[in-house]
Amino acid sequence: MSEKMIHLTIDGVAVEVPPETTVLAAAEQVGITIPTLCYLKGLAPDGSCRFCVVEILGGRKAGLFTACSEHCAEGMEVFTRSEKVVEARKFVLELLLSNHDNNCFSCPQNGACKLQDYCLEYGVMENVFAGRRQDAPVDDTNPYFDYDPKKCIMCRRCQRTCEQITGKNIISLTNRGFATKMGIPYDHLWRSSNCGSCGNCVEVCPVGALASKSNKKNYRAWEVTPTATTCPLCENACAVELLVKGGKVVELRAAGVPGADSLPCGRGHYTYWKTLDAGRVTAPMVKDPSTGVLKETTWEEALAAVAEHLKNNAAVLTSRSTTDEEIACTEQIAGAAGVRHGVFGGYGELLRAAHGADALLIYDADAASGCRSGQNCSYCQIYCDTVDVSALNETNFVAVATPALTELTAVADVVLPMPAFSEKDGTFRGKSLHAALSAPAEDGLAALLKRL
Amino acid sequence: MAKTMDVLLKGAGTFDGTDVAAYKAQGGYQALERVLGMSDQAVLDELLKAELRGRGGAAYPAGRKWSQMYKIPITPKYIVCNADEGEPGTFKDRELLRDMPLKVIEGMTIAGRVLHSARGFIYIRGEYRAIQRVFQKAIDNAVKAGYLGKNICGVEGFDYTITIISGAGAYVCGENSALLNSIEGRAGRPRIKPPHLAEVGLYKKPTLVNNVESYADLTVIYTQGADAFLELGVPGSGGTKLVCLSGNVKNRGVYEVGLGKVTLRELIFDPAFGGGIPDGKELSFYHLGGQSGPIGFPEQLDTVYDHDSLWDAGLSVGSGAVVVADGDVCIVDYCRKVMEFFVHESCGKCTPCRIGTMRVLELLTDLCEGRGRPGDTDRLERAITQISALSACGLGQSANKAIRSCLAHRREDFLAHEQGKCPAGSCAMKGGEGA
């Protein structure tokens, strides 16, 4: 290596690092963890919380420095847990606690809060300062998450994530000094901003200031079991975790470092994983020819009907946001029946792909997802599929394999049950999906393939 | 015995400071012309030899700052003059900007010449609105006379312009990195260092930031030479210093003194300077260098006024402010006022300054209003020690200095307040009493 290496010791351990390495990174290299609050991998160091201070002796200067921003220098002696450091960190915690709503009992982040953890670790058990506190009402105008200013510790992780990673830059700091306030500029409500509800600010909040509505209402950190999986909504294939409580998914969480490993969008974060109880398809269905209403039937009858109609001028169409295995399955069905196969991204593409076919087998993998209010509301700004599919009524026969009833099943002659995103194992864009829940019924496409 | 000097402010107010011909008649632009005949290295060497220490407050050796900046190969470079004179009790830059604008312009032009920068910015505090107009007139006149603009003094390729940027009332914008953020149109919050401004400054380019008085001092150094400049002061602190006397002192105003040539006693009591305390009252204490400076007491009056001597006595020159207080002023109440200032001016970025200054103010307010509790003095000491050790920028780091010196010299006053007593008798205590 042509670069001149720098030598220092951290808690007595010798470390060799290239120039411009921060003390925090150097410590990590030798397995020493320095506690942080405002630091977030992937963001430029902010040095604002002052919690990661370490004591530096030797070199050109001595004293307390923030490990996240201080560069290593030759001959430095760094102490990460000296008495001076511990006293300083305690003081920072005392200050933060003195300006924080300490009602942990009702806080969604209870049990998963960095401030709580560090206060326990450093023995800061009560608020030692009486005095003024920041006070502003909770902004609950975003449909998916709330902002509680009384809990904010001004680490600015949310603001910097919104600026540096998602590039939206809608969060800002207003006022000055003790009155500094995080939020939408000009004291506007969240609803009136052009926030896309991507929720990455909520992910990076170390305390409960930004918390999802689901977290607030449905669960606490210790009640949920995470399952690592991949979001198949788009080609970004975000690494995510599904949090399950009591046989239900209650939250989707980004896995790893925001931006670097995963950056879920609003739809992925808040609606795509939802499997709605109402309208869930749990058994094969056929349309009653007299009433035109779908009713449950036997597998034999449903599969026979589909197999019969797939023979002539048919098409097998599958939505793009599903596993490689499922696409292979639909391809094999098309191959076995000797008809064409296609994929679609939304209902608009579906209508184009369906053009000219007399019989259709459609796999609508996204059917269970989202609020599907169909209003394409600018309110939540999360994508809704609003294309009118009633034109498919003209088609001779339509079979839909789907996890849930939608406007598409309204035109179907046969409906086959399918697992939802949270119930699938498989591969997507080279990444793995793991089922967090078991599906309520057999996989309709697999059953069909077996029969063919 | 004591004497005011007449170097920086020579002839101030007797001629139109914006008029180039009048300025030249006073010896103006000789320094620049001399610099034009010197090599860059010779100019830098002379500055090092002159031992000019920054006049903004931090007293960093200007020669060292320039030499570091000179070595950085990145272009373009920017020259910035910090005229955000916001330290309470400091009003010496105002004199220079109003009466000697061309002297500041000449100093900045020398910096542009030596450091190969074509762009200068002067950040003048918003409260000096009238002075901004005077300064703009001086810039316009300098352009007309060929001392700014293209091919200055007929030297091919020597281009330099100066732009005035107005502050908007934030004290923290006097901090160099916050000042650059403000020029760029961002919120005036300090940046985290490293990188240092000499490498990544204004618009991410190498930037020199100096105080108004420092730039003006350059004209003295290059007219009279480094030796003469050093003679004006003492080794380690060359030149003269503008001192701002205010508070409970008879003759308030700006005085020019040779560094190391007068004592604090002379500054406050000599008829040529402060002339003593009015109304026959006693001196209680004096605050040096603005709100971010330490407080001195009568027992330290014989300290000589220069950077090193004051430093050894636990005091500092800072911006040059000397605020004098008589015996009627309660020291705890004064500290409360100082902390009120920092609470108001904190930018709110880092935890210790944002919340800590508020907690210290609350402690001091309790003491001054008769709600003191035993142990408050120790709590106060712990808080200010941590705030200064932990804060991200100079504002929070120096917010403790006044209180620290008071605790060191007048701890008994704080302990009395814990008991609900105010020795100066100026705090209105419920159930307490004045001494």
Side-chain angles (χ1 to χ4, degrees), chain B residues 81-402:
Chain B
C81 177
N82 184 345
D84 190 51
E85 185 170 54
E87 276 293 354
T90 312
F91 37 87
K92 43 110 184 159
D93 292 345
R94 187 181 65 185
E95 305 288 310
L96 284 167
L97 295 167
R98 186 187 58 213
D99 294 338
M100 294 289 191
L102 284 166
K103 197 166 244 180
V104 181
I105 291 169
E106 186 184 353
M108 289 179 69
T109 312
I110 291 171
R113 167 72 182 168
V114 177
L115 298 170
H116 302 279
S117 165
R119 273 300 246 148
F121 292 89
I122 180 164
Y123 188 92
I124 305 180
R125 69 181 303 202
E127 290 84 344
Y128 290 173
R129 192 60 49 88
I131 291 173
Q132 288 173 7
R133 285 193 285 271
V134 172
F135 204 87
Q136 186 61 53
K137 194 175 158 202
I139 291 175
D140 295 344
N141 289 343
V143 172
K144 269 182 229 148
Y147 283 106
L148 281 178
K150 288 209 170 291
N151 302 327
I152 294 168
C153 296
V155 178
E156 190 69 29
F158 179 18
D159 302 341
Y160 190 68
T161 58
I162 295 177
T163 308
I164 298 177
I165 308 284
S166 176
Y171 169 77
V172 74
C173 287
E175 199 277 341
N176 289 348
S177 65
L179 184 149
L180 298 188
N181 275 350
S182 179
I183 294 180
E184 290 179 8
R186 297 166 190 272
R189 295 193 182 95
R191 299 177 185 173
I192 189 102
K193 294 168 200 162
H196 293 282
L197 302 182
E199 287 174 79
V200 183
L202 187 61
Y203 302 115
K204 296 192 165 61
K205 295 294 176 189
T207 303
L208 177 83
V209 188
N210 272 134
N211 176 256
V212 173
E213 194 183 342
S214 306
Y215 283 117
D217 274 328
L218 296 177
T219 62
V220 181
I221 294 171
Y222 295 109
T223 311
Q224 304 184 8
D227 291 327
F229 186 81
L230 199 51
E231 278 295 280
L232 292 169
V234 286
S237 299
T240 61
K241 178 82 191 83
L242 300 180
V243 178
C244 319
L245 277 176
S246 64
N248 300 133
V249 64
K250 277 184 189 149
N251 312 322
R252 297 170 199 141
V254 176
Y255 297 89
E256 186 169 3
V257 300
L259 282 165
K261 307 291 188 196
V262 294
T263 63
L264 289 168
R265 186 183 301 283
E266 287 169 317
L267 269 180
I268 295 172
F269 288 99
D270 194 288
F273 296 106
I277 315 297
D279 306 328
K281 288 184 183 155
E282 296 273 300
L283 170 69
S284 174
F285 62 91
Y286 43 92
H287 198 172
L288 298 181
Q291 302 294 73
S292 62
I295 286 178
F297 296 91
E299 57 266 35
Q300 294 160 294
L301 274 175
D302 290 317
T303 314
V304 176
Y305 195 83
D306 69 63
H307 293 101
D308 295 331
S309 307
L310 286 173
W311 187 256
D312 290 342
L315 300 169
S316 72
V317 171
S319 61
V322 179
V323 179
V324 182
D326 66 29
D328 289 351
V329 181
C330 168
I331 201 153
V332 182
D333 192 44
Y334 185 83
C335 287
R336 179 176 68 86
K337 286 271 189 286
V338 170
M339 207 30 83
E340 240 170 36
F341 175 80
F342 284 111
V343 166
H344 184 257
E345 296 296 348
S346 166
C347 83
K349 182 173 170 178
C350 72
T351 311
C353 187
R354 183 180 70 249
I355 309 177
T357 52
M358 175 61 87
R359 298 300 172 234
V360 170
L361 174 63
E362 286 164 350
L363 263 174
L364 289 165
T365 307
D366 281 353
L367 285 172
C368 291
E369 293 178 357
R371 292 189 301 272
R373 298 167 300 162
D376 270 358
T377 307
D378 296 335
R379 277 188 274 275
L380 180 69
E381 189 161 37
R382 170 172 179 256
I384 60 162
T385 306
Q386 292 290 359
I387 291 169
S388 72
L390 279 166
S391 288
C393 86
L395 191 149
Q397 284 162 9
S398 53
N400 71 94
K401 280 192 191 156

Side-chain angles (χ1 to χ4, degrees), chain A residues 127-329:
Chain A
N127 178 18
V128 296
F129 296 105
R132 269 184 62 188
R133 284 155 175 273
Q134 56 193 347
D135 195 12
V138 174
D139 182 348
D140 60 359
T141 62
N142 182 288
Y144 303 110
F145 53 83
D146 294 347
Y147 172 57
D148 186 351
K150 287 200 273 298
K151 293 186 183 131
C152 182
I153 59 166
M154 267 348 128
C155 69
R156 320 198 306 162
R157 275 178 170 206
C158 54
Q159 181 256 324
R160 290 178 291 137
T161 300
C162 195
E163 179 192 10
Q164 296 174 29
I165 295 183
T166 70
K168 292 282 282 185
N169 208 4
I170 71 120
I171 303 176
S172 167
L173 265 83
T174 51
N175 297 340
R176 192 170 84 172
F178 193 80
T180 306
K181 198 164 163 272
M182 191 286 284
I184 306 299
Y186 308 109
D187 277 339
H188 282 207
L189 292 174
W190 220 284
R191 179 177 56 207
S192 58
S193 74
N194 58 349
C195 168
S197 300
C198 77
N200 289 290
C201 55
V202 180
E203 293 275 356
V204 299
C205 182
V207 294
L210 278 162
S212 81
K213 285 192 155 68
S214 174
N215 188 355
K216 225 168 176 173
K217 202 171 66 184
N218 298 329
Y219 71 96
R220 292 292 177 265
W222 60 85
E223 297 178 319
V224 292
T225 320
T227 301
T229 184
T230 304
C231 174
L233 178 56
C234 74
E235 59 268 32
N236 288 344
C238 289
V240 297
E241 282 176 350
L242 290 166
L243 307 185
V244 177
K245 175 191 169 186
K248 273 203 169 92
V249 178
V250 287
E251 189 91 80
L252 177 140
R253 187 164 69 188
V257 181
D261 299 333
S262 170
L263 193 67
C265 61
R267 197 179 176 206
H269 240 133
Y270 296 115
T271 65
Y272 185 66
W273 49 267
K274 283 186 183 160
T275 38
L276 307 173
D277 290 335
R280 191 67 210 273
V281 178
T282 54
M285 299 166 105
V286 292
K287 192 190 270 178
D288 188 320
S290 54
T291 60
V293 175
L294 287 167
K295 62 173 175 43
E296 288 192 8
T297 182
T298 61
W299 278 100
E300 183 48 41
E301 191 190 341
L303 294 177
V306 178
E308 177 59 29
H309 283 93
L310 271 185
K311 285 174 186 157
N312 303 313
N313 189 26
V316 178
L317 304 173
T318 180
S319 63
R320 206 166 263 142
S321 46
T322 186
T323 63
D324 298 348
E325 288 79 359
E326 285 174 320
I327 291 190
C329 176

